[in-house]
């Protein structure tokens, strides 16, 4: 057994993360609830459960649990991210942006910069969104969400060259098989007006 495999069995949060990645949410919830039954004050397990609630569209529960965590520890980055994600999903990008910025002040990640970029796009600030994407790209220079947001920002700024470049990078990074290729690019194509998507 490798150290990471052993950690998955000994660390319920890592185990739950793996289960969530596989969309096995019921199992992940049982793992986290068992961990919290053993240690009700386990903040990492609480935050992972709040994230699970978010992923399964139980937004009220996600916000309640994340809010309870933040009342004890206002700098808990995972709870800040859950709050931001729920608010963004609820079409409150300005409020979400504040939570993502607070999380960034604790720990910078490409994921957080991508969330900031998305919020900036939602509130019609494409130049700020582009700046956030530059920050995200300094951590990781590929990924479907990065390419998608780059294309959207370029479109909002009427920068057709940058938009084409984002699509080319996405096409290069997409899986080789036809089904994987189309699944990878489909979200980007749905962002385009129908006439433009055909081209």
């Amino acid at each position: 057994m490798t150290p990471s495999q052993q950690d998955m069995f000994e660390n319920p949060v890592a185990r739950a993360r793996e289960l969530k990645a596989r969309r096995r949410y019921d199992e992940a919830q049982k793992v986290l609830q068992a961990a919290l039954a053993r240690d009700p004050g386990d903040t990492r397990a609480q935050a992972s459960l709040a994230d699970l609630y978010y992923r399964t569209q139980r937004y009220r529960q996600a916000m309640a649990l994340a809010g309870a965590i933040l009342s004890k520890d206002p700098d808990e980055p995972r709870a800040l991210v859950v709050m931001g994600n729920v608010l963004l999903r609820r079409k409150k990008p300005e409020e979400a942006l504040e939570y993502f910025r607070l999380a960034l002040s604790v720990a910078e990640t490409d994921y957080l910069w991508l969330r900031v970029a998305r919020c900036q796009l939602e509130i019609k600030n494409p130049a700020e969104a582009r700046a956030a994407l530059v920050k995200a790209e300094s951590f990781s220079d590929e990924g479907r969400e990065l390419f998608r947001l780059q294309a959207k920002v370029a479109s909002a700024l009427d920068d057709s060259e940058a938009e084409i470049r984002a699509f080319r990078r996405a096409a290069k990074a997409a899986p080789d098989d036809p089904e994987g290729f189309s699944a990878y690019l489909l979200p980007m194509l749905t962002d385009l007006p129908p006439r433009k998507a055909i081209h």
Side-chain angles (χ1 to χ4, degrees):
M1 185 179 294
T2 68
S4 62
Q5 289 171 326
Q6 187 173 350
D7 183 56
M8 202 171 94
F9 287 103
E10 292 176 0
N11 181 343
V13 174
R15 211 165 131 215
R17 187 184 310 118
E18 177 67 26
L19 290 166
K20 286 190 281 185
R22 294 183 190 171
R23 298 181 183 272
R24 291 164 57 180
Y25 298 124
D26 289 342
E27 292 173 64
Q29 184 168 336
K30 287 176 187 169
V31 167
L32 293 168
Q33 286 173 333
L36 289 168
R38 286 190 303 275
D39 180 4
D42 184 342
T43 303
R44 290 182 68 229
Q46 289 174 346
S48 186
L49 184 59
D51 173 67
L52 185 141
Y53 290 151
Y54 162 72
R55 289 174 188 239
T56 54
Q57 299 177 3
R58 292 179 276 176
Y59 302 131
R60 191 170 292 155
Q61 287 174 279
M63 287 190 83
L65 186 50
I69 295 166
L70 291 171
S71 69
K72 292 179 277 185
D73 181 1
D75 295 326
E76 212 301 313
R78 292 166 291 251
L80 290 167
V81 170
V82 169
M83 291 294 277
N85 280 336
V86 172
L87 289 165
L88 187 56
R89 180 67 67 162
R90 288 187 164 175
K91 307 287 186 207
K92 296 179 178 180
E94 288 162 332
E95 292 175 49
L97 183 58
E98 291 309 308
Y99 282 99
F100 293 134
R101 283 181 172 152
L102 286 168
L104 275 169
S105 70
V106 178
E108 278 190 272
T109 66
D110 57 336
Y111 175 81
L112 286 171
W113 282 115
L114 291 171
R115 301 313 270 174
V116 166
R118 187 159 169 215
C119 289
Q120 294 287 12
L121 267 175
E122 297 274 332
I123 56 180
K124 310 286 190 244
N125 290 329
E128 288 86 348
R130 179 172 269 175
L133 290 175
V134 169
K135 292 278 197 179
E137 203 165 8
S138 71
F139 288 87
S140 174
D141 65 352
E142 60 180 55
R144 182 169 57 180
E145 185 66 7
L146 173 67
F147 302 141
R148 183 180 187 184
L149 288 171
Q150 284 176 332
K152 288 179 86 163
V153 165
S155 177
L157 293 170
D158 202 25
D159 184 346
S160 58
E161 285 182 24
E163 188 176 13
I164 290 166
R165 199 163 45 247
F167 272 93
R168 285 187 177 147
R169 290 180 69 197
K172 189 175 178 183
D176 290 332
D177 66 288
E179 189 175 312
F181 185 87
S182 60
Y184 192 91
L185 287 177
L186 189 60
M188 290 180 75
L189 293 171
T190 59
D191 293 335
L192 296 174
R195 185 171 294 195
K196 202 171 186 182
I198 291 169
H199 297 292

